[in-house]
Amino acid sequence: MRIQKKYFILLLLLSVLNVMAQKPQKPNSVEIYNQIQKLNFLGTVLYVAAHPDDENTRLISYFSNEVKARTGYLSLTRGDGGQNLIGPELRELLGVIRTQELIEARKIDGGEQLFSRANDFGYSKTPDETLTIWDKEQVLSDVVWAIRTFKPDVIINRFDHRSPGTTHGHHTASAMLGLEAFDLANDPNTFASQLQYTSVWQPKRAYFNTSWWFYGSREKFEKADKTNLVNLKTGVYYQSIGKSNQEIAALSRSCHQSQGFGNTGTRGEEDEYLEFLKGETPKDKTNIFEGIDTTWNRLDGGKEVGIVLWAVEKNFDFKNPSASIPELIKAYNLIQNLKDTHWKTIKSEEIKKIIAACSGLYIEAKANSQETNSGAELDLKIEAINRSNVAMELVSISLPNSNNTPFNKNLEFNKVNNFDVEVLLPKNQENTSPYWLSQPGTVGMYRVDDQNLIGKPDVIRTVNATFNIKINETTIPFERNIIYKYNDDVKGEVYQPLDVVPIVTSSITEKVFIFNSNKSKTVTVKIKAGKDTVSGSVQLNMPTNWSVTPTSHTFSLAKNGEEKQVSFTVTPSKEASEVTLKSIVTVDGTQFDKEKIDINYPHIFKQMVLQPSEAKAIKLDIKTNGEKIAYIMGAGDEVPNSLKQMGYEVTILKPNEITTERLASFDVVMTGIRAYNVLTELNFKQPVLLDFVKNGKTMIVQYNTTDDLVTKEIAPFPLKISRDRVTEENAEVRFLAPSHPILNSPNKITSNDFKNWKQEQGLYYPNEWDANFTPIISSNDKGEKAKDGAILVAKHGKGTYIYTGISFFRELPEGVSGAFRLIANMISIRN
């Protein structure tokens, strides 16, 4: 139970932590004081890498919490190309999850999150390949944009730009782009169109965050020349909060639940090393801001602000934070006069949060439902309370699609003020959805046309309320997102963002339909109301060489959230083809073609994604023998649904159901991806599974990683899993055993079956195996040796054992014809 217990404890811990993290901030005196210290530090550092999880959370926490610097993490991608340990979401939907995990991580370590438009298309072995699939100029412009808008004094690359081919191509590419952008960001002739929104910027210096890993071993690193390295003592213990820097960093890293990166905090001394790369050479090897004025004095007019705020920091009363408010208001007014709009904007927001925290000011605009529509009337409950003796007046509230609503209400000490307000949203109010998914992109790039959106980490929410509050004759606007909250009997108070949804959405219940004959199939469409009382018609659009009956269905839904299913009969074309089925709903002459996907995990905010309501239908020449399959789910995939589409009877078995008696009724057992990494029980169930094979049945094991295998006996004969993979999805495939049944029965497999694959051919291939195994195919990426371990087949007793690193978990849900034909042969190998 070791692995599952570890994940359970991590999930429980982070569920508690992040339910709290989703609530409005209510900082205590120590946290307020730390915010004041950060308010008085005007230095910025930007950490640059390729993916969620690449960031060094120890460094981010150190710069944010110890140095008090504004610290950003620029992840070039949103991690869309990885695997998912907590659910079935892959590609863009996985990117949505990992985006939110990064945002939650930054809430813990104190950093800020940035992105580029690069799409994580999967593993890449060289930066040249990466920058071919990414649009290099676009990604470079995004890095330049990040530098010009974030304006870091110091840039730190996570990876070494000088070592292509030694790590993920995305990694090296991120370092190369970070260093190239260091010089270009200050050139007004480079990406000049950006300068209508921002200004050029020159960072002071650039570093590479090196470690023993880049030297090959700890011993080699100990012996290495470190004269060009900055040594930072990051093992800080923060007495005021009772945590070490490493403990904070571990909590931050543990937010990456979809990757299984639960991390245990450590304590004690710890060193981080930065190799100086470019810029002004530092004299002080312990201070990356050496020679940079990080005080208010760096700004024209900032000296006066600094005098006030340094006194606030020095005289802060931990028992009565509100005593600082008069001087904070004075500093706020001085900040409004600054000519430097960059720092003015940043510090205005910082000081407003501190003023609200010092006064215990709680302001909230709560909707009566979690979803609404454009043009809808929104009922809000307003709450405002001043929990200090400082005089305050709620002057007005600015709400969507309306002028300031005057209140002129004195906020007396500790007295709750509740108001009911009705708001009519604009008819053109945009629906809620990740902005980077709103337009079709390419394999390597998301499309974002609005320059000001590029790099923004989160969904853009424009349904907000601004509370204009007068304090000491100064009116300060405090902006809040309109939210929805409710009480859960277990979790207590739960906050969710307000989503603007279409009045109706639809989804085709299966995403891939396989037609292996001319027979018709039933396609079911689910219609969901986004408001009360909606009616209309729904039709299924497809090319004219396919047919559908009926042409449309009418529907009527009485309540918001109500669903109805309708069925269409689809007849394929006579010839082999692949088509897209589209569900179109018409209400009062307006067409709605979006599917609403909800992503709901306890460690992140609930996310809503709107995507075209589509499915793929494939007429192909495929034969199956109708085997009964027992599927043992691993880390999560959609393969069972694909197998059902092929006509197989598929039963998902839990590990405790793996018994000789239970397996007797099945022809094939198949394990899902990474099953031997995440299911500890397989260590004890493996003899049962191998006996199943020995008695004349078939077992198919899909890929596992090299880490944390629950048993070394994953096969009846020795094999060693490696990190070998073929990332070029259209790499030439050579048949090593051309007469083997897997390549011939019941379907004749040819090179055409390996065309138009998605993202990769396979991963974590074995590179050593017993002579009892027969390798079936061979392929390799350009310039590499042949990889022969994609499919290994062995007779065991009367049955057959197959190990495969082929990425069926990607290819089948994408509707790749050849993958269906190949897996059908693997399943039918006994016949």
Side-chain angles (χ1 to χ4, degrees), residues 725-787:
R725 61 178 76 207
V726 178
T727 65
E728 296 170 13
E729 57 268 27
N730 291 317
E732 177 193 2
V733 174
R734 300 171 293 277
F735 296 160
L736 301 176
S739 61
H740 197 280
I742 280 184
L743 297 177
N744 292 279
S745 177
N747 304 286
K748 179 67 175 178
I749 303 299
T750 72
S751 58
N752 287 333
D753 288 300
F754 292 92
K755 292 181 179 179
N756 300 315
W757 282 47
K758 306 296 182 183
Q759 185 164 324
E760 63 202 356
Q761 279 188 6
L763 62 170
Y764 292 98
Y765 292 168
N767 62 353
E768 297 178 19
W769 52 84
D770 187 88
N772 283 288
F773 284 106
T774 299
I776 303 299
I777 63 173
S778 176
S779 63
N780 54 271
D781 291 327
K782 292 182 179 66
E784 293 195 352
K785 294 180 179 179
K787 306 291 189 297

Side-chain angles (χ1 to χ4, degrees), residues 393-671:
E393 179 187 352
L394 176 58
V395 178
S396 62
I397 302 179
S398 300
L399 295 165
N401 203 29
S402 65
N403 296 321
N404 281 0
T405 302
F407 282 88
N408 300 316
K409 175 69 175 178
N410 288 327
L411 301 181
E412 299 179 31
F413 170 66
N414 213 29
K415 288 189 177 181
V416 178
N417 297 274
N418 289 321
F419 312 96
D420 292 327
V421 178
E422 292 182 353
V423 175
L424 185 65
L425 292 183
K427 291 184 178 180
N428 61 350
Q429 178 71 49
E430 290 189 359
N431 292 315
T432 305
S433 195
Y435 70 88
W436 60 94
L437 298 179
S438 63
Q439 299 182 80
T442 65
V443 172
M445 296 297 299
Y446 287 120
R447 179 179 171 184
V448 181
D449 294 335
D450 185 341
Q451 181 67 54
N452 285 306
L453 289 182
I454 293 173
K456 299 289 186 185
D458 206 352
V459 174
I460 306 301
R461 300 185 183 277
T462 58
V463 184
N464 304 317
T466 300
F467 294 75
N468 300 300
I469 295 179
K470 184 185 289 185
I471 309 173
N472 285 6
E473 301 305 315
T474 296
T475 299
I476 301 176
F478 294 91
E479 188 174 86
R480 297 289 186 270
N481 286 334
I482 294 176
I483 54 89
Y484 171 71
K485 71 176 181 180
Y486 64 95
N487 183 73
D488 182 275
D489 289 342
V490 175
K491 300 175 183 177
E493 190 176 48
V494 176
Y495 281 76
Q496 291 183 343
L498 176 70
D499 288 332
V500 181
V501 305
I503 63 171
V504 65
T505 55
S506 66
S507 61
I508 303 172
T509 55
E510 297 289 339
K511 298 308 174 191
V512 177
F513 292 89
I514 301 298
F515 293 80
N516 54 6
S517 70
N518 292 325
K519 292 182 179 179
S520 302
K521 280 196 173 188
T522 298
V523 175
T524 302
V525 175
K526 182 171 65 178
I527 309 154
K528 184 174 183 178
K531 69 166 189 172
D532 291 343
T533 315
V534 59
S535 60
S537 63
V538 59
Q539 62 189 66
L540 197 62
N541 286 2
M542 63 188 64
T544 54
N545 58 337
W546 289 57
S547 63
V548 58
T549 57
T551 56
S552 68
H553 285 282
T554 59
F555 70 91
S556 181
L557 301 170
K559 294 292 184 182
N560 183 14
E562 184 179 348
E563 296 178 349
K564 180 178 181 179
Q565 291 189 344
V566 297
S567 296
F568 295 89
T569 300
V570 173
T571 304
S573 61
K574 294 181 180 180
E575 67 280 357
S577 62
E578 295 185 9
V579 300
T580 298
L581 312 180
K582 297 183 178 181
S583 171
I584 307 291
V585 180
T586 303
V587 177
D588 295 330
T590 301
Q591 290 190 338
F592 298 87
D593 62 353
K594 292 293 189 290
E595 173 183 5
K596 178 175 173 287
I597 302 168
D598 289 323
I599 300 175
N600 204 356
Y601 291 100
H603 67 300
I604 59 175
F605 267 133
K606 174 181 175 290
Q607 297 296 298
M608 184 187 81
V609 180
L610 295 175
Q611 290 188 335
S613 181
E614 297 178 348
K616 181 180 285 189
I618 306 170
K619 171 68 181 300
L620 56 80
D621 177 18
I622 183 172
K623 299 179 180 66
T624 61
N625 291 316
E627 289 83 357
K628 294 178 66 176
I629 300 172
Y631 199 93
I632 303 167
M633 192 67 74
D637 59 64
E638 294 288 348
V639 171
N641 289 339
S642 299
L643 298 177
K644 290 175 183 177
Q645 270 295 316
M646 297 170 71
Y648 294 112
E649 182 181 334
V650 182
T651 301
I652 295 179
L653 289 188
K654 296 179 180 178
N656 66 330
E657 297 177 303
I658 301 173
T659 65
T660 300
E661 295 74 20
R662 185 75 174 91
L663 294 179
S665 62
F666 295 101
D667 304 299
V668 179
V669 164
M670 186 179 300
T671 61

Side-chain angles (χ1 to χ4, degrees), residues 144-420:
V144 169
W145 172 255
I147 294 172
R148 286 173 173 175
T149 53
F150 201 71
K151 300 193 183 306
D153 299 302
V154 177
I155 291 177
I156 301 174
N157 279 340
R158 181 66 180 110
F159 298 104
D160 189 354
H161 65 287
R162 300 158 297 195
S163 55
T166 61
T167 182
H168 197 320
H170 296 184
H171 293 168
T172 310
S174 73
M176 294 167 63
L177 293 171
L179 209 57
E180 187 174 353
F182 179 92
D183 294 322
L184 296 178
N186 198 38
D187 180 1
N189 297 314
T190 300
F191 307 119
S193 61
Q194 295 179 1
L195 300 181
Q196 60 185 306
Y197 309 106
T198 187
S199 58
V200 295
W201 182 254
Q202 181 59 62
K204 197 79 166 181
R205 51 184 66 102
Y207 293 94
F208 158 46
N209 180 199
T210 191
S211 69
W212 67 265
W213 188 86
F214 293 96
Y215 286 74
S217 69
R218 295 182 186 277
E219 292 75 17
K220 290 181 181 179
F221 186 60
E222 287 296 324
K223 297 176 183 178
D225 179 11
K226 299 183 180 64
T227 56
N228 194 38
L229 302 186
V230 172
N231 179 206
L232 300 176
K233 303 292 183 180
T234 58
V236 181
Y237 174 62
Y238 303 110
Q239 293 188 15
S240 61
I241 60 174
K243 288 186 177 67
S244 69
N245 188 67
Q246 301 99 309
E247 288 171 319
I248 295 173
L251 289 172
S252 171
R253 188 159 183 79
S254 295
C255 289
H256 296 298
Q257 290 190 28
S258 66
Q259 302 185 72
F261 279 168
N263 199 263
T264 300
T266 60
R267 291 144 293 281
E269 294 182 351
E270 187 172 84
D271 295 307
E272 286 285 345
Y273 291 93
L274 304 178
E275 179 186 350
F276 174 74
L277 297 178
K278 184 174 286 191
E280 186 177 299
T281 306
K283 298 176 183 177
D284 184 351
K285 293 296 183 69
T286 64
N287 179 17
I288 66 169
F289 289 102
E290 187 260 326
I292 302 170
D293 189 351
T294 57
T295 72
W296 281 98
N297 293 334
R298 77 182 292 174
L299 304 182
D300 183 9
K303 181 178 180 180
E304 293 79 6
V305 181
I307 291 172
V308 175
L309 289 178
W310 292 327
V312 169
E313 181 178 336
K314 180 181 178 181
N315 300 320
F316 184 74
D317 186 344
F318 286 84
K319 293 184 178 180
N320 181 24
S322 65
S324 298
I325 291 178
E327 292 302 294
L328 288 169
I329 296 296
K330 184 187 296 184
Y332 172 82
N333 286 320
L334 290 171
I335 290 172
Q336 304 319 299
N337 296 326
L338 292 175
K339 297 178 181 178
D340 188 315
T341 56
H342 173 73
W343 281 112
K344 174 183 175 181
T345 301
I346 293 167
K347 294 302 179 181
S348 291
E349 290 306 308
E350 287 183 11
I351 199 169
K352 285 197 295 183
K353 291 179 181 178
I354 294 170
I355 291 169
C358 284
S359 64
L361 176 65
Y362 186 87
I363 45 181
E364 179 180 273
K366 182 186 73 170
N368 62 350
S369 63
Q370 197 268 317
E371 295 180 347
T372 189
N373 318 112
S374 59
E377 188 175 89
L378 192 61
D379 294 326
L380 300 180
K381 288 191 177 296
I382 304 294
E383 179 181 344
I385 183 170
N386 169 22
R387 290 173 285 186
S388 74
N389 289 313
V390 175
M392 293 188 187
E393 179 187 352
L394 176 58
V395 178
S396 62
I397 302 179
S398 300
L399 295 165
N401 203 29
S402 65
N403 296 321
N404 281 0
T405 302
F407 282 88
N408 300 316
K409 175 69 175 178
N410 288 327
L411 301 181
E412 299 179 31
F413 170 66
N414 213 29
K415 288 189 177 181
V416 178
N417 297 274
N418 289 321
F419 312 96
D420 292 327

